[in-house]
Amino acid sequence: MASFQIEGGHPLCGTIVPQGAKNEALQIICATLLTSDRVVVRNIPDIRDVNNLILLLRDIGVKVERLGRNDYVFQADDLRLDYLGSDEFVRECAKLRGSVLMIGPLLARFGRAVITKPGGDKIGRRRLDTHFLGFEKLGARFTQVEGRDVYEISARRLKGTYMLLDEASVTGTANIVMAAVFAKGTTTIYNAACEPYLQQLCHLLNTMGARISGIGSNLLTIVGVDELHGAEHRVLPDMIEVGSFIGMAAMCGDGIRIKDVSVRNLGIIPDAFRRLGVKIKVEGDDLVIPRQRHYEIQSFIDGTIMTLADAPWPGLTPDLLSVLIVVATQARGSVLFHQKMFESRLFFVDKLIDMGAQIILCDPHRAVVVGHDRKITLRAGRMSSPDIRAGIALLIAAMSAKGVSRIDNIEQIDRGYEDIEQRLNALGAKITRLS
């Protein structure tokens, strides 16, 4: 298990470029299973979760050619269909939550898939009902394999239908869309997720020959086709990494430019930081965050305490609440954070409290942060990363703290952030990776 040793108190300055979006890359890579032609995908992040998914595709017979560190060609023209039901394949899928996105393409193209409970962050209950209910609506059947904790899902040919999703699940919507592209007739999905990464998936599928309309809304219409062909696609910058860099610049920055962020796809992320008083300039497609000597949390128009809550897109992504909480610890004023979607994601704040932050954890979903206004600096400590986003939040806290901190279990951070210590050290941070 690796660790980061962080010498806090060093200001960050310079330019940083965000990696490709992890969540988009997972969807796009699985979409390559829908055709036997070559699909070129550029700007794929070189991170643990994505690399493990690529290895899983290699295992089932996908030809993978690496054009450069972040550019790949995928060709699924000769898959090992017998391997899909093996114990080895099921074990590998169980380690990686992104593997669930293979089910829709495999079901659509080959009429069957095997399902087991996938892994991922331990941040509370993350049910898969939306995926399965959608597949059933399209005509798929589930059968539990006797003596094994897996299900087989099968269908001769899926049939288009109308469905109202019980929640606007991003991976659920992506999976159902990929299954529906080959369904006979028309599929209408209401309460669909509409995140930019889901939009990117739909645009790629249309480039490959699918017929999807309503992209960007919560009402998608998919007219089934018989086959898809090859295409080329570029993954968007990772909005979560952009938000993480905004938080670092606010806490530790002495002037940072975040380059090529795709501003129009950031939604309300910059405004969420502005509500904490963080100054952000937009210059072309770059964000410039000047040194923040002080930043003051806004109040609502009626004078009540600011509340930041996560919500499905175009609301605030839950993946950035951990970073926003850390940033609030050095703001002037108080703010209530309401994490609605996962019941365990706020538990990392006890580590911030140990570092001297003034945080009241009201319950598993709500926390009040009373900012120090930089009058009291966080103190160094030793901690462990419970998940990807809490891990990066703790890294930001450690960089702003006095003394030397250590963060264990940084494999969690590696799952979502490419070469993070090297990129931050180039800005002036002092982070050492320990075996």
Side-chain angles (χ1 to χ4, degrees):
M1 183 180 295
S3 303
F4 279 149
Q5 180 176 287
I6 307 102
E7 184 180 306
H10 295 279
L12 309 182
C13 183
T15 298
I16 193 164
V17 181
Q19 68 187 27
K22 169 198 167 188
N23 292 336
E24 179 188 342
L26 295 175
Q27 296 176 30
I28 297 299
I29 290 168
C30 290
T32 66
L33 293 169
L34 287 165
T35 179
S36 60
D37 291 350
R38 289 162 54 92
V39 180
V40 179
V41 186
R42 303 191 183 278
N43 201 33
I44 292 177
D46 187 4
I47 54 177
R48 186 180 296 266
D49 274 10
V50 171
N51 293 338
N52 286 342
L53 181 62
I54 292 173
L55 288 174
L56 198 57
L57 263 64
R58 286 184 189 270
D59 288 343
I60 66 172
V62 177
K63 298 181 181 70
V64 180
E65 178 186 352
R66 197 170 190 177
L67 303 177
R69 181 173 186 185
N70 304 108
D71 302 335
Y72 287 82
V73 179
F74 300 90
Q75 187 169 14
D77 60 343
D78 187 21
L79 298 189
R80 299 169 56 197
L81 297 181
D82 56 328
Y83 179 70
L84 297 175
S86 68
D87 290 337
E88 182 182 353
F89 177 73
V90 168
R91 282 195 303 271
E92 293 303 312
C93 287
K95 298 176 185 177
L96 176 66
R97 186 169 182 82
S99 65
V100 74
L101 288 161
M102 298 171 62
I103 299 171
L106 292 173
L107 179 64
R109 187 173 167 202
F110 302 106
R112 63 187 178 94
V114 177
I115 300 166
T116 187
K117 186 176 180 181
D121 285 330
K122 308 304 180 187
I123 55 175
R125 189 169 60 96
R126 302 175 74 179
R127 62 190 183 89
L128 298 175
D129 301 53
T130 303
H131 304 242
F132 303 153
L133 292 171
F135 296 147
E136 285 185 325
K137 286 274 190 179
L138 293 170
R141 298 180 303 278
F142 289 83
T143 307
Q144 184 168 12
V145 180
E146 192 171 338
R148 300 170 66 195
D149 189 23
V150 298
Y151 288 83
E152 286 184 351
I153 177 172
S154 60
R156 287 189 177 180
R157 183 171 183 185
L158 300 174
K159 295 181 180 179
T161 186
Y162 168 86
M163 64 181 78
L164 173 62
L165 301 188
D166 61 335
E167 65 172 351
S169 163
V170 179
T171 54
T173 302
N175 233 344
I176 295 166
V177 166
M178 288 189 283
V181 292
F182 288 157
K184 185 178 181 179
T186 300
T187 301
T188 304
I189 307 172
Y190 193 29
N191 195 30
C194 49
E195 271 81 352
Y197 305 145
L198 195 285
Q199 296 176 38
Q200 286 281 95
L201 172 67
C202 292
H203 288 312
L204 169 64
L205 293 174
N206 278 351
T207 302
M208 294 169 68
R211 297 174 61 189
I212 305 171
S213 58
I215 299 172
S217 76
N218 67 348
L219 182 63
L220 294 175
T221 302
I222 302 128
V223 178
V225 298
D226 292 328
E227 62 180 4
L228 298 182
H229 52 73
E232 184 166 332
H233 179 83
R234 183 174 181 82
V235 174
L236 284 175
D238 195 311
M239 70 170 81
I240 312 304
E241 191 172 73
V242 172
S244 302
F245 292 154
I246 295 173
M248 291 176 191
M251 290 279 284
C252 320
D254 191 20
I256 290 180
R257 177 181 294 271
I258 311 172
K259 195 166 181 60
D260 299 330
V261 301
S262 188
V263 172
R264 68 185 183 88
N265 287 301
L266 293 179
I268 65 171
I269 288 173
D271 287 336
F273 285 95
R274 290 185 178 111
R275 287 188 171 188
L276 297 183
V278 178
K279 296 177 180 63
I280 303 173
K281 299 177 183 177
V282 178
E283 296 184 0
D285 215 21
D286 300 351
L287 296 182
V288 177
I289 296 86
R291 182 178 179 184
Q292 315 280 319
R293 297 183 185 277
H294 296 278
Y295 47 98
E296 184 171 358
I297 298 169
Q298 299 176 1
S299 298
F300 287 116
I301 293 174
D302 62 359
T304 55
I305 185 173
M306 174 58 61
T307 299
L308 291 176
D310 60 339
W313 186 271
L316 179 62
T317 170
D319 285 346
L320 276 177
L321 280 192
S322 301
V323 173
L324 287 160
I325 287 172
V326 170
V327 173
T329 64
Q330 292 302 316
R332 178 185 298 158
S334 301
V335 56
L336 169 66
F337 289 95
H338 192 173
Q339 163 58 272
K340 299 176 182 178
M341 297 174 68
F342 304 108
E343 62 267 19
S344 304
R345 206 159 209 170
L346 294 184
F347 289 163
F348 86 102
V349 302
D350 63 344
K351 300 173 178 63
L352 298 178
I353 294 170
D354 290 342
M355 298 176 77
Q358 292 187 311
I359 303 175
I360 303 166
L361 186 61
C362 308
D363 56 45
H365 292 278
R366 296 176 300 161
V368 175
V369 181
V370 181
H372 289 313
D373 191 20
R374 297 198 188 276
K375 294 175 181 176
I376 303 174
T377 304
L378 297 178
R379 54 181 175 263
R382 182 162 184 172
M383 59 211 91
S384 181
S385 173
D387 64 73
I388 301 175
R389 308 310 173 186
I392 203 69
L394 293 173
L395 181 59
I396 296 171
M399 287 192 296
S400 74
K402 284 184 177 178
V404 177
S405 298
R406 179 165 170 160
I407 303 176
D408 298 323
N409 194 31
I410 61 168
E411 287 82 3
Q412 287 285 359
I413 300 174
D414 291 337
R415 288 177 49 215
Y417 293 85
E418 179 181 307
D419 293 340
I420 189 64
E421 75 274 22
Q422 297 175 29
R423 296 158 73 200
L424 295 181
N425 285 343
L427 297 178
K430 299 292 183 182
I431 305 171
T432 304
R433 181 180 291 260
L434 308 174
S435 299

